[in-house]
Amino acid sequence: MKVSKDLMPWEERPQGCTDVLWRYSKNPVIGRYQIPTSNSIFNSAVVPFEGGFAGVFRCDNKAVQMNIFAGFSKDGINWEINHEPIVFKAGNTEMIESDYKYDPRVTWIEDRYWITWCNGYHGPTIGIGYTFDFKEFYQCENAFLPFNRNGVLFPEKINGKYAMLSRPSDNGHTPFGDIYLSFSPDMKYWGEHRNVMKVTPFEDSAWQCTKIGAGSVPFLTDEGWLMFYHGVINTCNGFRYSMGAAILDKNDPTKVLYRTQPYLLAPAAPYELQGDVPNVVFPCAALQDGERVAVYYGAADTVVGMAFGYIKDIIEFTKKNSIV
Ligand code: BMA
């Protein structure tokens, strides 16, 4: 989401570094044991809120149960996370059960913050909720049938309808996955499901050849919607999750204009290579001030890291190295 220039969390590109995205030198910004009950805190989403920041954090507890927690920060880097999970009241439907909640995304649309997450309802699907103040939360109808993951809302209506990216999946560690876009007139009924992006052929861009999923909430640039997504390769040691960028058409975001053939960030730092699930970089949020971007990503399913870049450089790189 857009942030004023003076609030933007930022660290300049290190001397001698030529990467388009670079890691924050003090990563990870959130440690695995940051709240008393947590086993791990990762794949979490942040937004500007009341002159600072708020967020929804995935904290798995020491029984390794997945749930989402609200948190707050003055600078976007140092976070206080509530010790109790979010409790939802009924939103646009009766209260629906939720066996677990994980991988939240948050965006402001019109008058409130909307939250999407992977909701356990006879298997994973996409849960939707909203809040005005990060104190009271309301849960709405699930967007899709199980099984689905990585539901990411656009921050404004597209041609008069809410729009959400998602990735139909299976009930396990899905060995496939493409990104779809669905529309809703009311945040309750979803349809007009369209394919947006597929995995790439192994020989063209292997890091994204097994499955891909929307990451951060897309934001508008001069070239279209810029979105960070994750791409996965199945290696002899299991899945490896990296991050790429895609630019979608402003008026018809089912059209991918550009998409990175090389990744922008892949597991390489110690906290990305080691943890509960080694080799995972998983973007869930991006703050931007019109010129610069700060990406929040889960690292090795254990901690939260940040990476920075200039929007102009990312767009240039994505156009120049596009696989579309
Ligand atoms: C996915 C989800 C993510 C996780 C990823 C890598 O299926 O469970 O939360 O980061 O796997 O383990």
Side-chain angles (χ1 to χ4, degrees), residues 181-201:
L181 185 61
S182 307
F183 296 91
S184 171
D186 56 5
M187 280 284 188
K188 185 164 186 173
Y189 298 99
W190 292 84
E192 297 170 81
H193 313 293
R194 299 285 182 271
N195 183 272
V196 177
M197 264 164 78
K198 285 183 179 301
V199 294
T200 47

Short mmCIF file of all heavy atoms in Angstrom, two decimals, residues 181-201:
data_model
loop_
_atom_site.label_atom_id
_atom_site.label_comp_id
_atom_site.label_asym_id
_atom_site.label_seq_id
_atom_site.Cartn_x
_atom_site.Cartn_y
_atom_site.Cartn_z
N LEU A 181 -7.93 -15.11 -11.55
CA LEU A 181 -8.57 -13.89 -11.06
C LEU A 181 -10.08 -14.11 -11.04
O LEU A 181 -10.65 -14.63 -12.01
CB LEU A 181 -8.22 -12.71 -11.98
CG LEU A 181 -8.70 -11.33 -11.54
CD1 LEU A 181 -8.11 -10.93 -10.19
CD2 LEU A 181 -8.32 -10.27 -12.58
N SER A 182 -10.73 -13.75 -9.92
CA SER A 182 -12.18 -13.90 -9.78
C SER A 182 -12.76 -12.56 -9.38
O SER A 182 -12.08 -11.71 -8.80
CB SER A 182 -12.49 -14.93 -8.70
OG SER A 182 -11.81 -16.14 -8.95
N PHE A 183 -14.04 -12.39 -9.68
CA PHE A 183 -14.72 -11.10 -9.43
C PHE A 183 -15.94 -11.28 -8.55
O PHE A 183 -16.56 -12.35 -8.54
CB PHE A 183 -15.13 -10.48 -10.78
CG PHE A 183 -13.96 -10.15 -11.66
CD1 PHE A 183 -13.46 -11.07 -12.57
CD2 PHE A 183 -13.33 -8.91 -11.54
CE1 PHE A 183 -12.37 -10.77 -13.36
CE2 PHE A 183 -12.24 -8.60 -12.35
CZ PHE A 183 -11.76 -9.53 -13.26
N SER A 184 -16.27 -10.21 -7.81
CA SER A 184 -17.45 -10.26 -6.94
C SER A 184 -18.10 -8.88 -6.89
O SER A 184 -17.41 -7.87 -6.76
CB SER A 184 -17.05 -10.67 -5.53
OG SER A 184 -18.13 -10.51 -4.64
N PRO A 185 -19.44 -8.83 -6.95
CA PRO A 185 -20.11 -7.54 -6.82
C PRO A 185 -20.20 -7.08 -5.36
O PRO A 185 -20.45 -5.92 -5.09
CB PRO A 185 -21.52 -7.83 -7.38
CG PRO A 185 -21.73 -9.29 -7.15
CD PRO A 185 -20.37 -9.94 -7.24
N ASP A 186 -20.01 -8.03 -4.39
CA ASP A 186 -20.39 -7.74 -3.01
C ASP A 186 -19.49 -8.36 -1.94
O ASP A 186 -19.85 -8.35 -0.76
CB ASP A 186 -21.82 -8.24 -2.78
CG ASP A 186 -21.93 -9.72 -3.12
OD1 ASP A 186 -20.89 -10.35 -3.42
OD2 ASP A 186 -23.05 -10.25 -3.09
N MET A 187 -18.35 -8.96 -2.32
CA MET A 187 -17.46 -9.64 -1.38
C MET A 187 -18.10 -10.91 -0.80
O MET A 187 -17.63 -11.44 0.20
CB MET A 187 -17.03 -8.74 -0.22
CG MET A 187 -15.93 -7.80 -0.56
SD MET A 187 -14.32 -8.64 -0.63
CE MET A 187 -13.26 -7.20 -0.83
N LYS A 188 -19.16 -11.36 -1.41
CA LYS A 188 -19.79 -12.59 -0.91
C LYS A 188 -19.83 -13.66 -1.99
O LYS A 188 -19.45 -14.79 -1.77
CB LYS A 188 -21.20 -12.28 -0.43
CG LYS A 188 -21.89 -13.45 0.22
CD LYS A 188 -23.11 -13.02 1.02
CE LYS A 188 -23.69 -14.20 1.79
NZ LYS A 188 -24.76 -13.79 2.70
N TYR A 189 -20.29 -13.29 -3.16
CA TYR A 189 -20.43 -14.23 -4.27
C TYR A 189 -19.33 -13.96 -5.29
O TYR A 189 -19.18 -12.83 -5.76
CB TYR A 189 -21.80 -14.09 -4.91
CG TYR A 189 -22.91 -14.41 -3.93
CD1 TYR A 189 -23.60 -13.39 -3.28
CD2 TYR A 189 -23.22 -15.73 -3.63
CE1 TYR A 189 -24.58 -13.68 -2.35
CE2 TYR A 189 -24.20 -16.03 -2.71
CZ TYR A 189 -24.89 -15.01 -2.07
OH TYR A 189 -25.85 -15.30 -1.16
N TRP A 190 -18.57 -14.99 -5.60
CA TRP A 190 -17.42 -14.84 -6.50
C TRP A 190 -17.62 -15.67 -7.76
O TRP A 190 -18.14 -16.78 -7.70
CB TRP A 190 -16.14 -15.27 -5.79
CG TRP A 190 -15.79 -14.31 -4.69
CD1 TRP A 190 -16.29 -14.34 -3.41
CD2 TRP A 190 -14.94 -13.17 -4.76
NE1 TRP A 190 -15.78 -13.27 -2.69
CE2 TRP A 190 -14.95 -12.55 -3.49
CE3 TRP A 190 -14.16 -12.61 -5.78
CZ2 TRP A 190 -14.22 -11.39 -3.21
CZ3 TRP A 190 -13.42 -11.46 -5.50
CH2 TRP A 190 -13.46 -10.87 -4.24
N GLY A 191 -17.22 -15.10 -8.90
CA GLY A 191 -17.35 -15.83 -10.17
C GLY A 191 -16.47 -15.22 -11.23
O GLY A 191 -15.51 -14.52 -10.92
N GLU A 192 -16.81 -15.48 -12.47
CA GLU A 192 -16.03 -15.01 -13.63
C GLU A 192 -14.55 -15.33 -13.44
O GLU A 192 -13.69 -14.45 -13.52
CB GLU A 192 -16.26 -13.51 -13.84
CG GLU A 192 -17.70 -13.15 -14.18
CD GLU A 192 -17.95 -11.65 -14.13
OE1 GLU A 192 -17.63 -10.99 -15.13
OE2 GLU A 192 -18.44 -11.15 -13.12
N HIS A 193 -14.27 -16.59 -13.12
CA HIS A 193 -12.90 -17.02 -12.83
C HIS A 193 -12.08 -17.10 -14.11
O HIS A 193 -12.46 -17.78 -15.05
CB HIS A 193 -12.93 -18.39 -12.14
CG HIS A 193 -13.93 -18.47 -11.02
ND1 HIS A 193 -13.80 -17.76 -9.85
CD2 HIS A 193 -15.10 -19.15 -10.91
CE1 HIS A 193 -14.82 -18.02 -9.06
NE2 HIS A 193 -15.64 -18.85 -9.68
N ARG A 194 -10.99 -16.38 -14.13
CA ARG A 194 -10.15 -16.33 -15.34
C ARG A 194 -8.71 -16.69 -15.01
O ARG A 194 -8.18 -16.24 -14.00
CB ARG A 194 -10.15 -14.91 -15.94
CG ARG A 194 -11.51 -14.40 -16.35
CD ARG A 194 -11.99 -15.04 -17.66
NE ARG A 194 -13.28 -14.47 -18.02
CZ ARG A 194 -14.47 -14.94 -17.63
NH1 ARG A 194 -14.52 -16.01 -16.86
NH2 ARG A 194 -15.60 -14.36 -18.00
N ASN A 195 -8.10 -17.44 -15.90
CA ASN A 195 -6.68 -17.75 -15.71
C ASN A 195 -5.84 -16.52 -16.02
O ASN A 195 -6.08 -15.83 -17.01
CB ASN A 195 -6.26 -18.92 -16.62
CG ASN A 195 -4.81 -19.30 -16.38
OD1 ASN A 195 -3.91 -18.75 -16.99
ND2 ASN A 195 -4.58 -20.20 -15.46
N VAL A 196 -4.86 -16.24 -15.16
CA VAL A 196 -3.98 -15.08 -15.36
C VAL A 196 -2.58 -15.52 -15.76
O VAL A 196 -2.03 -15.06 -16.76
CB VAL A 196 -3.92 -14.23 -14.07
CG1 VAL A 196 -2.96 -13.05 -14.24
CG2 VAL A 196 -5.30 -13.73 -13.69
N MET A 197 -2.01 -16.41 -14.96
CA MET A 197 -0.60 -16.80 -15.15
C MET A 197 -0.43 -18.27 -14.87
O MET A 197 -0.97 -18.78 -13.89
CB MET A 197 0.27 -16.04 -14.13
CG MET A 197 0.91 -14.78 -14.64
SD MET A 197 1.50 -13.80 -13.24
CE MET A 197 2.98 -14.65 -12.81
N LYS A 198 0.34 -18.91 -15.71
CA LYS A 198 0.63 -20.34 -15.50
C LYS A 198 2.10 -20.52 -15.11
O LYS A 198 2.90 -19.59 -15.28
CB LYS A 198 0.40 -21.10 -16.80
CG LYS A 198 -1.07 -21.34 -17.16
CD LYS A 198 -1.11 -22.17 -18.43
CE LYS A 198 -2.49 -22.51 -18.89
NZ LYS A 198 -3.30 -23.24 -17.95
N VAL A 199 2.43 -21.71 -14.65
CA VAL A 199 3.84 -22.02 -14.41
C VAL A 199 4.58 -21.97 -15.75
O VAL A 199 3.96 -22.04 -16.82
CB VAL A 199 4.02 -23.41 -13.76
CG1 VAL A 199 3.42 -23.43 -12.37
CG2 VAL A 199 3.42 -24.51 -14.63
N THR A 200 5.89 -21.87 -15.66
CA THR A 200 6.70 -21.77 -16.88
C THR A 200 7.28 -23.14 -17.23
O THR A 200 7.47 -23.98 -16.34
CB THR A 200 7.86 -20.79 -16.66
OG1 THR A 200 8.47 -21.12 -15.42
CG2 THR A 200 7.38 -19.37 -16.64
N PRO A 201 7.59 -23.38 -18.48
CA PRO A 201 8.30 -24.62 -18.83
C PRO A 201 9.65 -24.66 -18.10
O PRO A 201 10.33 -23.62 -17.98
CB PRO A 201 8.51 -24.50 -20.34
CG PRO A 201 7.47 -23.51 -20.80
CD PRO A 201 7.29 -22.56 -19.66
#
